[in-house]
Structure formats: structure tokens, C-alpha cells
Amino acid sequence: MSTEGLSIGIAVGGAKTAERTSGRHGARWEVLTRRATWAPLALDAAAILLAALDVWLVIPEKAEPYSIYLSAFACLALAARRWLPFAVVLGTVPGFLTGWSQLAAMIALGMLATRRQTHWQVWVGAALVWACRFIQWPLSDFAQLSWREHVLDAIYGVLVAGMPIAIGLLIGARAQLAQKLVELAASRDREQQLRDDAVRAEERARLAREMHDVVSHDITLIAMQAGVLAAAGDPANAQQTAQVIRQLSTRTLEELRSLVGVLRSGAPDDGPHPGIGELDQLVRGCEVPVQLTVDSVPDQLPAKVSAAAYRTVQECLTNVRKHAPGARAKIVILGDGDRLNIEVSNDGPSRPATPLPSGGHGLTGLAERARLLGGSFETAPTSDGGFRVRATYPVKS
């Protein structure tokens, strides 16, 4: 194999390896990068060639050498039009005034208008290009023109200077619009990210409230029953207490499995939740002396309001068992027009409380529920050493 063939084989093999490593997106990005690098250079070369062709087509056979040199310099100066647009316009003026580099001056003025838009340099460049088209060289020939020819040259000068500026302003406005669209898209993405973060935070808080409300009640009962079991001397009572603990543990595990299933699936938790209709069952199994009063409650309550009322009573009874053993509780639920009022109060404890872990999240979760539903939530100690909770929820869905 020849050296050239070996080089080609190595290049092809390296290209295939790079493509496999970077993938289609990397190859596409490389092509776009090369295109972005070579495109401006190709446009600059095309502009120089067009300007040189324009000079070559119109230059007379007996032209002054200096006019040829100035025209050539004007064409070559276009290579720096992206970095020094105003200086390039000034560099094309002598060749346009004394020679034939009109197209070079127009291209330079268009780039200046694209980069600087309505800057004073644009208007100075436009005035110079207009003057080069209006004034003829040598000045002796210019002085011999009639007024009609002066008017026509002035009109043509406006067209020669105005057209590049119009095109440059259009291109610049398009670039600015594209930049604004990019900024708008980035701002929209940031806003969407913030909304997503807020939704995730709200969902985490909702799940935390649900897990606390579901688990805290049953775990407290389990802890209390375990204490009874430890102090029980009668085997029959011990067996009965152990059965209660087993039932509570099973129910708690089922609730936890349900919540974990919601977390794993990512679907909204739209399943059934306990409501006001289950309060009688809750009161019977809470092991706290309770006086329950329900009056003027609408038959059709919004599901979220009914669930919030149930969770409010459940959390309050849990707190009574944990912090005020032996205390009596009073629950009053009244419908008042378009609002549902709930008040749960208890008197002071009659025996010392068994220390149980508590983070204070229950009342915080109830306050968040009330706020999200447009209601209110208040807590305060009572004069007899007890505690009172008042919650209000709107009943209109």
C-alpha cells in the first residue's frame, strides 16, 4: 500500500472512530461549527470578487493609474469590513470618487449599517458615498454638467447610498429580533423551570401531609396499645391488645403501600379519601372520650373539604392521646352558609403523658390545607390547661 493510501485509510478509520464516539449529535455540531467558521470567509471573498468584477467591467482603456490603484485598494479593503466597518467605508471613498469602485463602497456601507444601525458613523458614511456618486472626477468635468444632470446625479446618489443602508438596517433588525427571541425562549424556559419546581414542592408538601395524617394516627394507637400490653397482667387482655396492634399495623402498612404506589407511578393521588361520613368510626376507635356535634352540614361537600375536615379531627384526636391522656374532647362541626366551621377542644390531662416523638408537623400540615383551600386555621391553649383548634373551609367547589 502506498503512503497516500495508508494516510487515507488512517483518516477514514479515525473519522469512523470519532463518529462512533461522539454520535450523530457530535457530528452534526462539528458540521455546524465548520459552516459557521467558513461562511463569513466565503462571503468576504465573494464580496471582494464582485467588487473587483464591477471595476473591471466599467474601467475605460485609458484610465489614470492612480484611479486604478485606488479602486483596487477599495476592493481589497472589503476584507476588513467585519472588524473596521467605518474605516473600510472611508477607504473606499477615494476609489469611488476618482475611480470606479461604486459597488465596493455600497458593500462597505451596507456592513456599516448592519453593525452600527443608526449610529452617526452610518450617516457620515452615507453622506460620503452620496457625494462620491454626485461629484464627478475630475472637478472640471463636474463643473461643466447642466443642472438637469446634477439633479439626476443627486437622485442616483440617494439610491446608491440609501439602498445599502436600508438592507443593513433590515439585516440588523432581523438579528436583533432573533436575539430577542432567544432571550424570550430562555426566559420562558426559566419560568417553566420555576413552575415545575413550585409544582414539585407543592406535591412533596401534599404527600408529606398525607403520610403524616395517615401514619401518625395509627402509630400513636400502636404505641399506646403496646404500653397497655406491657402493663397487662391478664393473658386474655394481652392477647386482645396484641390483636389490636396487629390490625393497626396491617392498616398502616396498607396506607403506606398506597402512598408509595402513588410516588412510584407519578400519577396524581385521586383515590378515595376518608371524609366527614367516617367521623363516627374515627371517634369510636380513638379511645378518647369525645362529644361530637355535627349540624347544618351540606349533603354534598367538595371531596377536598370533606377530607380536610376528617384530617383535622383525626390530627386533633391524635394530639389529645399523645399530649393529654385522660382528657375529654369536644368536636363541633357546623355549616354556616358557604363555609364549614370546625372546632376541636379538650380539657387538661388527668394523668402524666407518655413521652412520644413529635415534630409539630401535624398542625403545620392542617394550616397548609386550610390555606390551599381558601380557609383559615387557628390554635390556642384554653384556661383549664387544654387546647383548642378552629378551622374554616369554604364549601363551594
Side-chain angles (χ1 to χ4, degrees):
M1 182 182 291
S2 63
T3 304
E4 180 180 2
L6 180 61
S7 300
I8 294 174
I10 293 174
V12 173
K16 291 181 178 179
T17 303
E19 183 178 359
R20 287 195 300 269
T21 303
S22 59
R24 289 179 296 176
H25 295 289
R28 185 181 302 173
W29 175 255
E30 184 178 357
V31 171
L32 293 176
T33 303
R34 290 179 179 177
R35 184 181 300 174
T37 303
W38 288 101
L41 298 178
L43 290 176
D44 291 340
I48 294 174
L49 290 177
L50 288 175
L53 180 62
D54 176 64
V55 173
W56 180 71
L57 290 176
V58 299
I59 190 172
E61 295 182 358
K62 296 181 180 180
E64 297 292 337
Y66 71 87
S67 62
I68 299 176
Y69 296 147
L70 291 176
S71 298
F73 176 77
C75 296
L76 295 176
L78 294 177
R81 65 195 181 100
R82 297 181 183 276
W83 299 276
L84 302 171
F86 185 63
V88 171
V89 171
L90 297 179
T92 60
V93 167
F96 187 13
L97 179 63
T98 64
W100 300 270
S101 59
Q102 173 177 317
L103 184 58
M106 294 175 67
I107 294 174
L109 182 59
M111 176 56 69
L112 178 61
T114 302
R115 292 298 178 87
R116 303 295 170 83
Q117 292 292 287
T118 57
H119 194 267
W120 64 268
Q121 294 179 355
V122 176
W123 307 118
V124 172
L128 292 175
V129 172
W130 177 86
C132 291
R133 181 60 183 82
F134 176 71
I135 300 173
Q136 291 190 9
W137 190 267
L139 296 179
S140 57
D141 295 341
F142 175 71
Q144 294 176 1
L145 297 176
S146 65
W147 68 271
R148 296 178 180 270
E149 293 173 320
H150 284 305
V151 172
L152 289 176
D153 288 338
I155 295 174
Y156 291 148
V158 171
L159 296 177
V160 169
M163 184 172 63
I165 293 180
I167 296 175
L169 292 177
L170 180 62
I171 296 175
R174 182 178 180 274
Q176 291 180 1
L177 179 60
Q179 180 64 27
K180 294 296 183 182
L181 290 177
V182 171
E183 295 176 357
L184 181 61
S187 177
R188 186 170 59 249
D189 291 340
R190 288 193 298 269
E191 292 178 358
Q192 183 64 37
Q193 183 65 34
L194 291 176
R195 284 195 296 268
D196 294 342
D197 293 342
V199 169
R200 283 193 293 268
E202 182 178 354
E203 187 65 14
R204 285 195 298 267
R206 186 187 67 83
L207 290 173
R209 290 193 301 269
E210 290 294 332
M211 293 187 70
H212 177 276
D213 294 341
V214 168
V215 177
S216 177
H217 176 75
D218 290 342
I219 291 297
T220 301
L221 289 177
I222 291 173
M224 295 179 63
Q225 292 293 335
V228 173
L229 179 61
D234 188 357
N237 292 335
Q239 184 178 2
Q240 182 180 1
T241 303
Q243 183 66 21
V244 173
I245 292 176
R246 182 179 179 276
Q247 294 175 355
L248 291 173
S249 301
T250 302
R251 188 171 64 185
T252 303
L253 286 175
E254 291 176 353
E255 295 283 356
L256 286 176
R257 288 194 188 100
S258 176
L259 288 175
V260 171
V262 173
L263 289 174
R264 287 184 179 275
S265 65
D269 185 13
D270 294 331
H273 293 279
I276 288 184
E278 287 78 16
L279 283 180
D280 291 337
Q281 182 180 355
L282 175 66
V283 169
R284 285 196 300 268
C286 70
E287 301 182 0
V288 174
V290 178
Q291 178 185 350
L292 176 62
T293 302
V294 180
D295 188 19
S296 302
V297 176
D299 295 333
Q300 297 295 330
L301 277 178
K304 292 184 178 180
V305 174
S306 181
Y310 180 90
R311 296 303 187 192
T312 301
V313 175
Q314 182 185 49
E315 176 62 24
C316 291
L317 294 179
T318 299
N319 288 337
V320 172
R321 286 193 301 269
K322 290 170 61 176
H323 305 297
R328 293 171 300 177
K330 181 180 180 181
I331 304 172
V332 179
I333 302 178
L334 297 176
D336 181 15
D338 58 351
R339 307 191 73 82
L340 182 68
N341 301 313
I342 301 174
E343 179 176 326
V344 182
S345 59
N346 63 274
D347 52 16
S350 61
R351 60 178 183 268
T354 301
L356 293 174
S358 176
H361 301 296
L363 296 180
T364 302
L366 294 179
E368 290 177 353
R369 284 180 184 274
R371 176 178 56 82
L372 293 175
L373 293 175
S376 61
F377 185 81
E378 299 177 357
T379 61
T382 59
S383 58
D384 57 354
F387 200 75
R388 181 174 58 246
V389 173
R390 288 176 178 171
T392 302
Y393 300 103
V395 298
K396 291 184 179 180
S397 57

